Structures are given as C-alpha cells and as structure tokens.
Amino acid sequence: MRALWKTDRPAVEGTEFASGAHDVVIVGAGLTGLATALMLVQDGLDVAVLEAGEVANLTSGANTGKMSLLQGTRLSHLRAHHPASLVRAYVDANRDGMEWLRGFADAAGVTRSSRTAYTYAQTTAGRESIDRELAAAREAGLPVRRGHPDELAGLPFPVTAAVALDGQVAIDPDAVTTALAQAFVGAGGTLHTNVRVTGVSAFPRARVRTDQGEMGAGRIVLATGMPIADRGLYWAKVSGSRSLCIAFDVPGAVPDGLLLSADSPSRSLRSVTALDGPVGAGNRLIVGGNGYPVGRTDSEAAGFADLVAWTERFFPGSVETCRWAAQDYESHNGVPFVGAMPRGFGRIRLATGYAKWGLTNAPAAALRLTAEIRGDKPKSRPRWMTQLGTRLTMPGDIARGLGENAKVGGAAVAGWLSAERTAVPVPRPAEGEGVVAQRNGKPVGISTVEGETRAVSAVCPHLGGVLSWNDAECTWDCPLHASRFQADGTRIEGPALSDLERLPRARGRHPQGDDGAASAGSVPAGAGPQR
C-alpha cells in the first residue's frame, strides 16, 4: 500500500553517509525533522539529517493533508483536563506552526487551497460534543462558528450540527516535506537517507550510532514519531494508533470542506484538487477513519472494507484508486512532548504526541526546538513555548496514563496466552495471512507474503510483547508500544531498534497435504490466523 501523495513522485536523493561531527544531528526526515533542520541551517549551524528510509517515509507522507486549527474535538478534550490558558497556548503554538509552514510553502512554490474545516455530528451525543468544541475553541481565541444548514446541505448524509472554521488549508503533505528537504540541502545541510539509527548517547559526548557508522553531534534531535531512546520512558507516556485512508475517484460532486466527524466510528473527508494534490487528482475524495491502537484490532482489512462500503453507500459509483494507513502518537495528557529529554545532559531533544495533527504541531515543535538549541532567552520566545513546557500533570492525565498502561499489560498477557494455545507444527498460512504459534516455549510468527513463507520471532525486541499480524499491510505489529516490522522481520517504526530474529524454516505438511511447508506441519483443530 502506498499513499496517494507517494504514487508518482521521485525520492529526494541523499548523500553517502560519512562519519564525523556536526553541530546538530536530527534523526528523522519528516516534517518535524526537516523543518527544524532548515531553521537551524538558516541560522548558520552545521546540521545533518539521518533517515532510515526516504523523505516523508512514514506519517509525514501519509496524512490526509489537512492543515487546520479546528482539529475534530481535540480542544474540548484538552479543556476537560486542563486550564483554559493551556488550551490557548496549544492553539497559539499550532497557529504559529501553521503560519510558518504556509509561508514556507508559498515561498517554495508548493500550491495549496483555502478550505473551511468542519467538525460535524450525526447523533445527539455528537451534537453535544459539537457544543463543547465550539465553546472550547472560542475560549481559546479561534473565530469558529456554527455550520449553517445551507452549506452542509450538499452532503449525502444527514448532519445534526457542526462547528466551522474558515481559512484553513488543504495541501499535499509529501510535496511540502519534499520541498523542505530540497531547501535544507540547498542551504548547505547534509541529508543521509537509507541510514538506520540504532542508538544515541549523551555522555561523555553526544553520539549517534547507525548501521553505517557513528556520527558526533553537539545536539541531537529525535524526530522519529516515537523517540528511539528509553530515556524518559516516553513509550509509556504516549499511545500509538493507526488510521486508515482510501482515495476514490468520484463521478459526482465531492464535498469542498475539510470534514471530520465527532461521532464514532470517525469519518474524515477531504477532496483533492490540482492545487493541493498530485497531478491528475481532480474530483478525487479521500475517506479516512476506523482508527485503532496499533496491534489491537481483529482485522485491519475489515476496517478498510467498512470504509469502502460506507463510501459506496453515500458516493455511489466511486472507484478506489489507492489505500494506505498512517501511524501517529498521542500523549496521555493530550499535549505533545517537545524539548529536552531526561538524562540527556541537555544534548538530546525530542518531539512526539501530535495526535494526528502534525501539519500544525510539527512546525510548532520545530520553532520551539530551534529556539532552545539557539539558546534564545525565555523572555524573547513566544509565551506558548513556556506555557506548554511548564504544564502541570493533572489528575485526569494520571488516570488516563494508568488506564492506557493497564491496556498494555492486558495485551501483553493475552498475547502470550494466545501463543501458548497454538503450537508448531502449523500449516503454511495462505497468501497474506500470518499466525503466531509456540515453538519450544517461545512465540513464533509464520506468514506468507508474495508466495514466500517466513518464520520470525514473534516477540518484540523492545519489551517482549507478542506481535500480532496485520492482515491488510502484511506486517507484524506490537500491541504494547506500537513497534512494527515487515513480514521478514525488518523493523519499520516504533521504540524497537532491532529487527526480529529470523528463524530456520522447518519441514512440514502443507495444508493441502504436500510435504515441505516452509514453517512446519499440522495445526491443532480450531487454530487459525492471528490478526
């Protein structure tokens, strides 16, 4: 699967890795990493960016391209647990981030369109959520209004209430991230792609370890979604989730606004035009939703099928062009973590917890990281930087954190128990399927993808969670802290730093009876694929 934005765009070329030292080394070539890198190199610092894949390889190249200060029901969610001053600081941060990225896009020639953002409801409970969001947004200083029935009358489904914010932005997220990379390199920055970082250290000096050698740094910025370092235990303070997206060619009219439902299951709608999408993407509609905690769904494929059925119901004749999923992280207190990492001696910084709103939160984080690295005095910084950096932990934050980690503990126990119930030998999984079984007391993941059956350790190398099979993306996903791996065990993302152990292929019986299954023989009655 590949995002709409990635279907016809060449990768940005990086330079060959070279050890040495830089003023700042940034890990991750997404929006946060590249915006921070560009700001710093323009200030005259020697900056290098390391990326395990391509530019905008994961979340930054896979979101829906909504740059908005109206973010579903996020503001009322924050207001329920935090004072009004903090919610206003969050809005101010996102506004500054939005203005910076919009200004950069204009200067770089990345086109965009102006849209009205809507959070809409179809139920009584959703209407109450709209009222709360309207109040929270107004209290935070946003010029929101109630959506007028006439402007929503063109939607093919009933809407009971909506809150609207004019002047928001639709943009091609991969195009703007690519432009950031090109501007960074053009300003003298160093970009290394396809270089995996395997660890960082802060003492006695800051160092970055990669699969191609070490690199020294005055400062390190971890812009990897989930920080790839256990300092601060951020894997226990944020939760990873995946959201599903499908692009359709629609024969009739498509909604003009940036729409997100307040009800569950969520539905996100965004039309794509020549100004804010790939060439030839006119009259195309992106439908998103059915998000779930990483590794904790019965079937991602079923979630995609539900989105298709919903779209066919309300936009008959639509033809699917591509589908993809994106992963992001939300802090348990709802506010992104940005700044110095504990026990990093002031040499390591991070940014995470955007809760799917990276097009505004990422440049805001870059502004703050840049101010800190430059050593700007607190009085010279925008007030929101201090307010967000000194927030108190509220009782609701603690309760939510305890609840989320209790779910993690439950998933850990359930994974091991499930693996124990299915012992190898098992039949070769059908194409696109995977099963977790137990071999000599250890969980083993067996899958068949593109005709090749593989066996890997099904234990996450981060903290030992038993992995589950993602039946849409054909990956092994960790239900504990959101690490993900390809079918052959290669790490994709998350706090895990190493690949899964590849296991020897055992001889056995194919489900249809032939000898020589790649992973082992017969399966106990009732056992089946683990989703």
Side-chain angles (χ1 to χ4, degrees), residues 32 41 43 80 130 160 181 255 364 457 498:
T32 303
V41 79
D43 284 340
I130 293 298
T160 59
S457 169
S498 61

Side-chain angles (χ1 to χ4, degrees), residues 50 196-201 207-211 213-215 497:
L50 303 175
R196 184 197 293 189
V197 173
T198 57
V200 297
S201 58
R207 304 286 297 176
V208 177
R209 298 184 298 278
T210 82
D211 59 358
E214 285 198 354
M215 181 176 285
L497 290 178

Side-chain angles (χ1 to χ4, degrees), residues 236-247:
K237 299 176 183 178
V238 300
S239 300
S241 63
R242 294 190 70 72
S243 297
L244 313 184
C245 299
I246 306 179

Side-chain angles (χ1 to χ4, degrees), residues 222 227-235 341-343 462-463 495-497:
L222 300 180
I228 54 166
D230 284 342
R231 295 176 177 86
L233 305 181
Y234 288 97
W235 43 264
M341 179 170 275
R343 297 184 293 110
H462 178 233
L463 287 180
L497 290 178

Side-chain angles (χ1 to χ4, degrees), residues 256-272:
D256 180 63
L258 308 176
L259 295 111
L260 183 60
S261 65
D263 299 299
S264 182
S266 65
R267 290 291 180 264
S268 170
L269 300 176
R270 191 220 128 163
S271 60
V272 183

